[in-house]
Amino acid sequence: MNFTAARHNMIESQIRTNRVIDPAVVGALAEIPRESFVPKPMRGFAYVDEDLDIGGGRVIIEPLALARLLEAAKIKSTDVVLNIGDAPGYSTAVLSKLSQTVVALECDAEWTTKATTSLNDLGIDNAAFVHGPLDQGYPAQAPYDVIIFSGAVNEVPASICRQLSEGGRLVAIIDNGRGVGRGTLIVRVGDTWGRRHLFDARIPLLPGFAAKPKFVF
């Protein structure tokens, strides 16, 4: 399979046609080989316009949803980014082309190791994976200019919002049980966090972010 041609087609038919126009975002998606982060038996599907199931209930987020989140975050080359729940490392690799530093938090130790190897194979040296529970964020390196979730969440914990710097942006797909998640931008201004709905998307929930059961008599 000609992956270079497939990647070009993804950009032209999935990304540009859906009004993602930020040249930095489009350039980063065009540069990173998505097939390098897909299990070998599935590489022929690397550029389809949908989430890719990589096993264990985890997915590689669909290209368009990722592109829309990245564009909304308005990432600068001087930004420090926290990427939560990127099991295979693909979105971390893309973020490495947009920002100064990426801290990638992953709860699965095996995926953490695999993703680190994939980044090293591509010579990416401004991104690092850390292992830990996703729903706590990674306060050790906070504050962050940008926080992104590479999967859906039922809600964004306030403790993670507080890991944003002043003026920091958080982007996530929030699915609170409606069946369709909402791409959402959260911006920190002092001790308040404004939010804006961006688009609708169906993305599986990340581990630790399912809705908490409610007690009823």
Tab-separated table of all heavy atoms in Angstrom, residues 8-43:
chain	number	residue	atom	x	y	z
A	8	HIS	N	-1.909	11.687	1.919
A	8	HIS	CA	-2.291	12.860	1.127
A	8	HIS	C	-3.805	12.886	0.904
A	8	HIS	O	-4.443	13.939	1.047
A	8	HIS	CB	-1.562	12.836	-0.211
A	8	HIS	CG	-2.002	13.920	-1.154
A	8	HIS	ND1	-1.591	15.232	-1.032
A	8	HIS	CD2	-2.838	13.873	-2.233
A	8	HIS	CE1	-2.147	15.953	-1.987
A	8	HIS	NE2	-2.902	15.158	-2.728
A	9	ASN	N	-4.372	11.726	0.593
A	9	ASN	CA	-5.811	11.653	0.366
A	9	ASN	C	-6.580	11.962	1.645
A	9	ASN	O	-7.661	12.579	1.597
A	9	ASN	CB	-6.197	10.269	-0.162
A	9	ASN	CG	-5.711	10.035	-1.578
A	9	ASN	OD1	-5.469	10.988	-2.326
A	9	ASN	ND2	-5.555	8.778	-1.958
A	10	MET	N	-6.054	11.523	2.802
A	10	MET	CA	-6.698	11.834	4.078
A	10	MET	C	-6.771	13.349	4.280
A	10	MET	O	-7.817	13.890	4.659
A	10	MET	CB	-5.931	11.203	5.239
A	10	MET	CG	-6.502	11.541	6.615
A	10	MET	SD	-5.408	11.067	7.997
A	10	MET	CE	-4.166	12.390	7.919
A	11	ILE	N	-5.662	14.025	3.999
A	11	ILE	CA	-5.613	15.475	4.169
A	11	ILE	C	-6.605	16.157	3.226
A	11	ILE	O	-7.378	17.040	3.632
A	11	ILE	CB	-4.188	16.005	3.903
A	11	ILE	CG1	-3.210	15.459	4.956
A	11	ILE	CG2	-4.179	17.531	3.880
A	11	ILE	CD1	-3.484	15.910	6.357
A	12	GLU	N	-6.604	15.750	1.977
A	12	GLU	CA	-7.425	16.434	0.977
A	12	GLU	C	-8.911	16.102	1.081
A	12	GLU	O	-9.757	16.973	0.856
A	12	GLU	CB	-6.906	16.094	-0.433
A	12	GLU	CG	-5.486	16.561	-0.697
A	12	GLU	CD	-5.318	18.067	-0.496
A	12	GLU	OE1	-6.237	18.825	-0.883
A	12	GLU	OE2	-4.281	18.481	0.054
A	13	SER	N	-9.252	14.854	1.422
A	13	SER	CA	-10.658	14.444	1.392
A	13	SER	C	-11.331	14.465	2.755
A	13	SER	O	-12.564	14.595	2.842
A	13	SER	CB	-10.789	13.043	0.787
A	13	SER	OG	-10.134	12.083	1.597
A	14	GLN	N	-10.552	14.338	3.840
A	14	GLN	CA	-11.144	14.305	5.178
A	14	GLN	C	-10.937	15.608	5.943
A	14	GLN	O	-11.838	16.054	6.654
A	14	GLN	CB	-10.543	13.170	6.004
A	14	GLN	CG	-10.771	11.782	5.448
A	14	GLN	CD	-10.063	10.723	6.271
A	14	GLN	OE1	-9.914	10.840	7.481
A	14	GLN	NE2	-9.597	9.680	5.612
A	15	ILE	N	-9.766	16.205	5.790
A	15	ILE	CA	-9.398	17.345	6.635
A	15	ILE	C	-9.759	18.677	5.984
A	15	ILE	O	-10.557	19.450	6.516
A	15	ILE	CB	-7.888	17.306	6.970
A	15	ILE	CG1	-7.506	15.940	7.579
A	15	ILE	CG2	-7.535	18.449	7.912
A	15	ILE	CD1	-8.273	15.542	8.807
A	16	ARG	N	-9.197	18.948	4.831
A	16	ARG	CA	-9.446	20.243	4.181
A	16	ARG	C	-10.917	20.427	3.809
A	16	ARG	O	-11.450	21.543	3.913
A	16	ARG	CB	-8.581	20.377	2.930
A	16	ARG	CG	-7.085	20.475	3.186
A	16	ARG	CD	-6.373	20.787	1.885
A	16	ARG	NE	-4.933	20.646	1.983
A	16	ARG	CZ	-4.113	21.608	2.429
A	16	ARG	NH1	-4.613	22.757	2.834
A	16	ARG	NH2	-2.801	21.413	2.458
A	17	THR	N	-11.581	19.374	3.369
A	17	THR	CA	-12.968	19.513	2.938
A	17	THR	C	-13.917	19.787	4.105
A	17	THR	O	-15.067	20.149	3.893
A	17	THR	CB	-13.446	18.244	2.204
A	17	THR	OG1	-13.268	17.117	3.064
A	17	THR	CG2	-12.662	18.045	0.921
A	18	ASN	N	-13.445	19.608	5.332
A	18	ASN	CA	-14.260	19.873	6.514
A	18	ASN	C	-13.788	21.133	7.244
A	18	ASN	O	-13.931	21.250	8.456
A	18	ASN	CB	-14.250	18.671	7.454
A	18	ASN	CG	-15.135	17.543	6.949
A	18	ASN	OD1	-16.346	17.596	7.063
A	18	ASN	ND2	-14.503	16.527	6.358
A	19	ARG	N	-13.208	22.033	6.475
A	19	ARG	CA	-12.890	23.383	6.942
A	19	ARG	C	-11.830	23.442	8.046
A	19	ARG	O	-11.829	24.354	8.861
A	19	ARG	CB	-14.162	24.125	7.371
A	19	ARG	CG	-15.190	24.275	6.266
A	19	ARG	CD	-16.327	25.189	6.668
A	19	ARG	NE	-17.046	24.705	7.829
A	19	ARG	CZ	-17.988	23.766	7.798
A	19	ARG	NH1	-18.314	23.213	6.640
A	19	ARG	NH2	-18.608	23.387	8.887
A	20	VAL	N	-10.956	22.451	8.077
A	20	VAL	CA	-9.772	22.567	8.929
A	20	VAL	C	-8.700	23.213	8.060
A	20	VAL	O	-8.199	22.606	7.113
A	20	VAL	CB	-9.303	21.193	9.451
A	20	VAL	CG1	-8.011	21.337	10.248
A	20	VAL	CG2	-10.392	20.563	10.309
A	21	ILE	N	-8.348	24.467	8.371
A	21	ILE	CA	-7.501	25.240	7.461
A	21	ILE	C	-6.202	25.719	8.091
A	21	ILE	O	-5.366	26.282	7.390
A	21	ILE	CB	-8.272	26.461	6.916
A	21	ILE	CG1	-8.729	27.357	8.067
A	21	ILE	CG2	-9.468	26.011	6.077
A	21	ILE	CD1	-9.362	28.655	7.620
A	22	ASP	N	-6.021	25.506	9.389
A	22	ASP	CA	-4.783	25.942	10.035
A	22	ASP	C	-3.604	25.225	9.366
A	22	ASP	O	-3.508	23.993	9.419
A	22	ASP	CB	-4.832	25.597	11.522
A	22	ASP	CG	-3.636	26.120	12.303
A	22	ASP	OD1	-2.511	26.103	11.762
A	22	ASP	OD2	-3.818	26.546	13.455
A	23	PRO	N	-2.693	25.974	8.729
A	23	PRO	CA	-1.604	25.318	7.993
A	23	PRO	C	-0.687	24.500	8.888
A	23	PRO	O	-0.124	23.494	8.442
A	23	PRO	CB	-0.863	26.487	7.341
A	23	PRO	CG	-1.264	27.702	8.109
A	23	PRO	CD	-2.648	27.441	8.592
A	24	ALA	N	-0.513	24.906	10.150
A	24	ALA	CA	0.352	24.144	11.054
A	24	ALA	C	-0.279	22.787	11.375
A	24	ALA	O	0.417	21.762	11.388
A	24	ALA	CB	0.597	24.935	12.341
A	25	VAL	N	-1.579	22.774	11.627
A	25	VAL	CA	-2.268	21.513	11.920
A	25	VAL	C	-2.250	20.598	10.708
A	25	VAL	O	-1.919	19.410	10.809
A	25	VAL	CB	-3.719	21.790	12.368
A	25	VAL	CG1	-4.513	20.482	12.468
A	25	VAL	CG2	-3.739	22.518	13.704
A	26	VAL	N	-2.591	21.140	9.548
A	26	VAL	CA	-2.589	20.324	8.324
A	26	VAL	C	-1.188	19.796	8.036
A	26	VAL	O	-1.009	18.627	7.687
A	26	VAL	CB	-3.113	21.159	7.136
A	26	VAL	CG1	-2.971	20.381	5.824
A	26	VAL	CG2	-4.576	21.541	7.359
A	27	GLY	N	-0.180	20.641	8.243
A	27	GLY	CA	1.197	20.219	7.992
A	27	GLY	C	1.645	19.114	8.918
A	27	GLY	O	2.338	18.175	8.499
A	28	ALA	N	1.263	19.213	10.201
A	28	ALA	CA	1.643	18.178	11.160
A	28	ALA	C	0.989	16.847	10.826
A	28	ALA	O	1.627	15.786	10.895
A	28	ALA	CB	1.271	18.619	12.569
A	29	LEU	N	-0.287	16.872	10.456
A	29	LEU	CA	-0.982	15.643	10.073
A	29	LEU	C	-0.379	15.032	8.812
A	29	LEU	O	-0.311	13.808	8.664
A	29	LEU	CB	-2.468	15.931	9.851
A	29	LEU	CG	-3.281	16.265	11.106
A	29	LEU	CD1	-4.652	16.808	10.714
A	29	LEU	CD2	-3.436	15.048	11.999
A	30	ALA	N	0.077	15.891	7.904
A	30	ALA	CA	0.682	15.405	6.668
A	30	ALA	C	2.065	14.808	6.902
A	30	ALA	O	2.516	13.950	6.132
A	30	ALA	CB	0.779	16.549	5.661
A	31	GLU	N	2.722	15.244	7.953
A	31	GLU	CA	4.103	14.800	8.211
A	31	GLU	C	4.182	13.477	8.962
A	31	GLU	O	5.100	12.681	8.744
A	31	GLU	CB	4.839	15.877	9.002
A	31	GLU	CG	6.309	15.561	9.249
A	31	GLU	CD	7.049	16.707	9.905
A	31	GLU	OE1	6.462	17.793	10.055
A	31	GLU	OE2	8.229	16.504	10.283
A	32	ILE	N	3.232	13.233	9.870
A	32	ILE	CA	3.322	12.053	10.737
A	32	ILE	C	2.689	10.828	10.069
A	32	ILE	O	1.520	10.859	9.684
A	32	ILE	CB	2.637	12.329	12.088
A	32	ILE	CG1	3.343	13.454	12.833
A	32	ILE	CG2	2.615	11.063	12.951
A	32	ILE	CD1	4.808	13.177	13.159
A	33	PRO	N	3.438	9.727	9.950
A	33	PRO	CA	2.906	8.501	9.339
A	33	PRO	C	1.987	7.755	10.303
A	33	PRO	O	2.439	7.064	11.203
A	33	PRO	CB	4.167	7.687	9.030
A	33	PRO	CG	5.164	8.147	10.058
A	33	PRO	CD	4.865	9.584	10.332
A	34	ARG	N	0.686	7.890	10.114
A	34	ARG	CA	-0.280	7.264	11.025
A	34	ARG	C	-0.117	5.747	11.074
A	34	ARG	O	-0.361	5.111	12.106
A	34	ARG	CB	-1.699	7.643	10.587
A	34	ARG	CG	-2.783	7.431	11.637
A	34	ARG	CD	-4.071	8.112	11.205
A	34	ARG	NE	-5.075	8.134	12.259
A	34	ARG	CZ	-6.227	7.466	12.224
A	34	ARG	NH1	-6.507	6.711	11.172
A	34	ARG	NH2	-7.085	7.556	13.216
A	35	GLU	N	0.309	5.172	9.960
A	35	GLU	CA	0.460	3.717	9.907
A	35	GLU	C	1.497	3.197	10.893
A	35	GLU	O	1.453	2.034	11.321
A	35	GLU	CB	0.810	3.266	8.485
A	35	GLU	CG	2.203	3.628	7.996
A	35	GLU	CD	2.289	5.018	7.391
A	35	GLU	OE1	1.306	5.795	7.494
A	35	GLU	OE2	3.341	5.333	6.815
A	36	SER	N	2.449	4.045	11.300
A	36	SER	CA	3.487	3.624	12.243
A	36	SER	C	2.935	3.371	13.638
A	36	SER	O	3.611	2.757	14.466
A	36	SER	CB	4.591	4.686	12.319
A	36	SER	OG	5.252	4.822	11.075
A	37	PHE	N	1.724	3.841	13.909
A	37	PHE	CA	1.129	3.703	15.237
A	37	PHE	C	-0.028	2.711	15.259
A	37	PHE	O	-0.694	2.564	16.279
A	37	PHE	CB	0.652	5.078	15.719
A	37	PHE	CG	1.766	6.075	15.842
A	37	PHE	CD1	2.125	6.864	14.763
A	37	PHE	CD2	2.484	6.190	17.019
A	37	PHE	CE1	3.174	7.773	14.854
A	37	PHE	CE2	3.526	7.097	17.124
A	37	PHE	CZ	3.877	7.886	16.038
A	38	VAL	N	-0.233	2.033	14.132
A	38	VAL	CA	-1.320	1.065	13.996
A	38	VAL	C	-0.736	-0.336	14.031
A	38	VAL	O	0.311	-0.588	13.420
A	38	VAL	CB	-2.072	1.300	12.659
A	38	VAL	CG1	-3.171	0.259	12.468
A	38	VAL	CG2	-2.652	2.707	12.624
A	39	PRO	N	-1.349	-1.287	14.751
A	39	PRO	CA	-0.868	-2.674	14.716
A	39	PRO	C	-0.737	-3.159	13.273
A	39	PRO	O	-1.576	-2.853	12.421
A	39	PRO	CB	-1.964	-3.443	15.472
A	39	PRO	CG	-2.541	-2.422	16.420
A	39	PRO	CD	-2.503	-1.118	15.658
A	40	LYS	N	0.322	-3.898	12.982
A	40	LYS	CA	0.642	-4.276	11.609
A	40	LYS	C	-0.522	-4.881	10.830
A	40	LYS	O	-0.708	-4.547	9.655
A	40	LYS	CB	1.843	-5.222	11.603
A	40	LYS	CG	3.159	-4.529	11.930
A	40	LYS	CD	4.338	-5.475	11.823
A	40	LYS	CE	5.648	-4.748	12.117
A	40	LYS	NZ	6.816	-5.648	12.036
A	41	PRO	N	-1.332	-5.779	11.408
A	41	PRO	CA	-2.434	-6.357	10.616
A	41	PRO	C	-3.479	-5.327	10.183
A	41	PRO	O	-4.274	-5.602	9.279
A	41	PRO	CB	-3.055	-7.380	11.575
A	41	PRO	CG	-1.984	-7.691	12.566
A	41	PRO	CD	-1.226	-6.407	12.742
A	42	MET	N	-3.462	-4.145	10.809
A	42	MET	CA	-4.489	-3.136	10.520
A	42	MET	C	-3.961	-1.960	9.712
A	42	MET	O	-4.692	-0.999	9.473
A	42	MET	CB	-5.074	-2.600	11.839
A	42	MET	CG	-5.738	-3.639	12.699
A	42	MET	SD	-6.319	-2.897	14.248
A	42	MET	CE	-7.437	-1.639	13.621
A	43	ARG	N	-2.725	-1.998	9.300
A	43	ARG	CA	-2.138	-0.815	8.673
A	43	ARG	C	-2.805	-0.420	7.364
A	43	ARG	O	-2.752	0.739	6.961
A	43	ARG	CB	-0.630	-1.026	8.479
A	43	ARG	CG	0.108	-0.939	9.812
A	43	ARG	CD	1.595	-1.001	9.705
A	43	ARG	NE	2.193	-0.803	11.026
A	43	ARG	CZ	3.477	-0.921	11.288
A	43	ARG	NH1	4.320	-1.239	10.308
A	43	ARG	NH2	3.930	-0.721	12.509
